[in-house]
Amino acid sequence: MGFYICSNCGYGSASWIGKCPDCNQWNSLVLQRDEKDKRKEKTQKLTFKPLTEVPSLVKGRLQTGLFEFDRVLGGGFVSGEIVLLTGEPGVGKSTLILQSLSNLKTLYISGEEAAEQVKDRAERLNIQLENFFFSDTLQVEGIIEGAREIREKIDVIVIDSVQTVYSKEVEGQPGSITQLKETAAKLIRFAKENKIPIIVIGHVTKDGDIAGPKTLEHMVDAVINFEGERVSHFRVLRAQKNRFGSTDEIGIFEMAGRGLREVNDPLAFLEDTTGHVPGKAIVGSMEGRRPLFFEIQVLASPSILTMPRRVVKGVDYSKVLLLLAVIRKHLNLPLHSYDIYVNVVGGVEIKSPAADLGIVASLISSIKNLPLPPKSIFVGEVGLLGEVRQVYGEKKIVSEAKRLALPQVFSSETVKSLKELQKQLGEKGKKAIATPKGIVFSE
Ligand code: TYD
Ligand code: MG
């Protein structure tokens, strides 16, 4: 009996159907090769060896020209590693690759841009061209055959992008699930057999594009995402999965006129640490093994809506809703009469709960219309009971803040609860008191 798979979305069916019930594509179901062929296979007896005799992969990592990239990889490429580099179109993936691989002998396969375009960009970026071989061959069988012949001359292969290459052995358009899986499987086998790292670039859209490169995540060794808003020049490289390194590390870059610049200043995301403006707080959090500081801005403005507006950028939306609920319960602030906007400066995203305390502080500051103490930072997770919890790496963040001349620290050491926070902030100026008619400020 045959089995039919949709070449567009991967839907399976025991009989042929004209229109895929899952993705509504017409004529996309194809018969899979007969399962019986596989059953004829002879029994393969178990073979094994002690792990101590297995050669170590991690020795002799291949370093790129960019320290921030190596940091995310876990110290460079491991031989035979396959890395999926994802990101939205235009975020800077091709630029990152050109800049980071200019010291390695690179076979650059592009179905996205013509050789002239790639060369033009490389020249603008001031990159040595000697190390790059360019190819626009997109058939994976051909790529593999050619790459095997020049294996000795190259250190790394880049496929830009996986949505443009295809295998001649399966049905479907380049970029469809069946094609993605087949090409990735072939490339992985080639990488392992020839001990050569391959970087596969995949475009994803904001909502993750489930039917796209995400389906390859379990097949590859590392999934590295390049994030950033088009309006901001900061770019963050983050490993979502890494078989050969930690997923905690992030790499930070700035997109400038001459390409990406590595950022290693922990205060890079702050525009100004001294300003006395209500609604702004500096938060510290650990990103990988280093503390970084971000500016949170909250605007609370009186609302005329029955369902006041909540607009959030840079932190998790449902986290903010949770914090608002905690604040309502424990600080008794009439949040329902305010529209609330939350933003992180620089177009970056904070995933750590360490920012909780700063979000609450800047909200109190905005409602009270009083700036937070100058040169202060906030670090702490806020619990459902209104308590302030210690976060990972808190000591390190605090000592780094002191070193960077941000001496006043609000953390689980100095504030135990939101009530205490409100009190401490109130002492510096007027106190906000909730009354049935709204907020009043004491003298
Ligand atoms: P690109 O690497 O082509 O993105 P991707 O491969 O992810 O689609 O980069 C695209 C953007 O980067 C482009 O909109 C312009 C910007 N850019 C700069 O700002 N400075 C530069 O030096 C370069 C090369 C690109
Ligand atoms: Mg590109």
Side-chain angles (χ1 to χ4, degrees):
M1 214 178 60
F3 192 71
Y4 297 82
I5 300 272
C6 171
S7 57
N8 188 47
C9 72
Y11 176 85
S13 164
S15 60
W16 191 80
I17 319 170
K19 183 181 170 190
C20 172
D22 207 26
C23 69
N24 295 328
Q25 190 85 11
W26 284 95
N27 280 332
S28 58
L29 271 79
V30 256
L31 180 65
Q32 294 302 290
R33 252 164 257 126
D34 205 342
E35 284 290 316
K36 277 184 200 148
D37 287 353
K38 285 188 191 159
R39 291 192 205 124
K40 280 182 200 150
E41 189 179 309
K42 281 189 205 139
T43 306
Q44 295 206 6
K45 200 176 159 205
L46 168 83
T47 61
F48 59 92
K49 56 188 160 195
L51 264 184
T52 48
E53 283 172 23
V54 177
S56 180
L57 268 180
V58 184
K59 269 185 203 151
R61 282 187 186 252
L62 193 61
Q63 271 158 8
T64 71
L66 293 178
F67 178 75
E68 294 287 303
F69 194 8
D70 287 339
R71 183 211 292 276
V72 178
L73 286 169
F77 295 109
V78 169
S79 95
E81 174 170 17
I82 185 135
V83 177
L84 176 64
L85 175 65
T86 57
E88 289 181 45
V91 72
K93 299 179 295 299
S94 306
T95 309
L96 175 74
I97 288 303
L98 279 180
Q99 281 187 258
S100 58
L101 302 184
S102 59
N103 296 329
L104 301 174
K105 297 222 169 358
T106 306
L107 173 60
Y108 186 85
I109 292 159
S110 179
E112 300 276 335
E113 286 159 313
E116 291 76 13
Q117 277 172 294
V118 175
K119 178 169 175 174
D120 179 64
R121 174 177 310 146
E123 280 175 339
R124 262 192 299 132
L125 296 171
N126 241 338
I127 285 170
Q128 305 178 43
L129 301 175
E130 293 76 47
N131 284 333
F132 285 96
F133 295 103
F134 180 89
S135 167
D136 55 9
T137 303
L138 299 176
Q139 186 205 72
V140 73
E141 288 80 10
I143 293 173
I144 286 174
E145 201 179 309
R148 189 174 284 126
E149 282 167 20
I150 55 166
R151 168 66 189 98
E152 294 309 313
K153 298 198 189 112
I154 49 175
D155 297 321
V156 53
I157 301 175
V158 181
I159 311 279
D160 189 0
S161 66
V162 70
Q163 278 108 335
T164 59
V165 292
Y166 66 95
S167 162
K168 67 181 164 90
E169 286 165 19
V170 291
E171 305 276 332
Q173 292 289 319
S176 62
I177 298 293
T178 11
Q179 282 291 357
L180 285 176
K181 284 193 173 160
E182 184 67 17
T183 46
K186 288 210 152 89
L187 290 168
I188 291 168
R189 204 172 317 133
F190 177 77
K192 305 288 171 208
E193 278 168 14
N194 292 275
K195 300 196 175 1
I196 188 163
I198 301 184
I199 304 167
V200 174
I201 296 180
H203 295 295
V204 286
T205 52
K206 258 237 147 58
D207 19 301
D209 190 9
I210 306 298
K214 284 226 167 237
T215 52
L216 305 178
E217 284 184 357
H218 68 281
M219 301 170 74
V220 299
D221 295 313
V223 180
I224 292 177
N225 192 33
F226 205 28
E227 305 163 358
E229 296 292 329
R230 228 168 259 220
V231 288
S232 148
H233 42 266
F234 285 113
R235 299 285 181 269
V236 175
L237 200 59
R238 208 187 286 269
Q240 284 171 3
K241 157 183 175 175
N242 194 349
R243 286 183 185 150
F244 303 123
S246 152
T247 49
D248 285 340
E249 292 297 346
I250 63 166
I252 306 167
F253 299 89
E254 203 174 345
M255 183 64 96
R258 284 191 166 266
L260 294 160
R261 201 175 57 76
E262 296 179 88
V263 173
N264 36 37
D265 172 13
L267 300 181
F269 294 107
L270 303 184
E271 275 162 11
D272 164 30
T273 54
T274 52
H276 296 259
V277 203
K280 128 176 175 176
I282 296 170
V283 299
S285 89
M286 287 302 272
E287 297 291 339
R289 262 168 283 171
R290 58 183 162 165
L292 288 178
F293 298 92
F294 303 91
E295 180 180 323
I296 305 252
Q297 296 188 341
V298 175
L299 173 67
S301 70
S303 178
I304 47 157
L305 304 169
T306 29
M307 283 276 284
R309 238 179 257 278
R310 306 298 185 227
V311 181
V312 177
K313 233 180 108 235
V315 281
D316 186 34
Y317 180 72
S318 34
K319 180 49 159 294
V320 171
L321 293 189
L322 187 144
L323 289 175
L324 294 182
V326 175
I327 294 169
R328 271 186 81 158
K329 170 93 179 163
H330 296 276
L331 299 187
N332 200 20
L333 295 181
L335 298 179
H336 55 272
S337 54
Y338 287 95
D339 287 333
I340 294 169
Y341 302 85
V342 180
N343 184 35
V344 181
V345 173
V348 283
E349 209 155 304
I350 312 179
K351 306 226 159 123
S352 162
D356 293 1
L357 192 60
I359 298 173
V360 176
S362 40
L363 179 70
I364 296 176
S365 160
S366 181
I367 290 184
K368 287 164 84 172
N369 204 24
L370 285 171
L372 295 171
K375 293 183 180 266
S376 60
I377 68 142
F378 294 82
V379 44
E381 180 179 357
V382 172
L384 292 181
L385 309 178
E387 81 279 24
V388 179
R389 293 227 198 97
Q390 196 175 26
V391 293
Y392 163 70
E394 187 168 308
K395 282 210 169 79
K396 220 168 166 181
I397 300 169
V398 172
S399 67
E400 183 75 351
K402 298 212 157 127
R403 187 179 76 78
L404 295 165
L406 294 165
Q408 192 170 0
V409 177
F410 292 84
S411 71
S412 64
E413 291 273 304
T414 56
V415 240
K416 300 284 175 218
S417 69
L418 290 193
K419 277 222 171 77
E420 224 174 276
L421 175 76
Q422 193 182 30
K423 225 174 175 181
Q424 285 191 19
L425 297 179
E427 275 167 14
K428 304 266 178 226
K430 299 170 189 174
K431 236 182 216 175
I433 302 165
T435 68
K437 285 188 186 148
I439 275 214
V440 290
F441 297 111
S442 72
E443 288 309 311

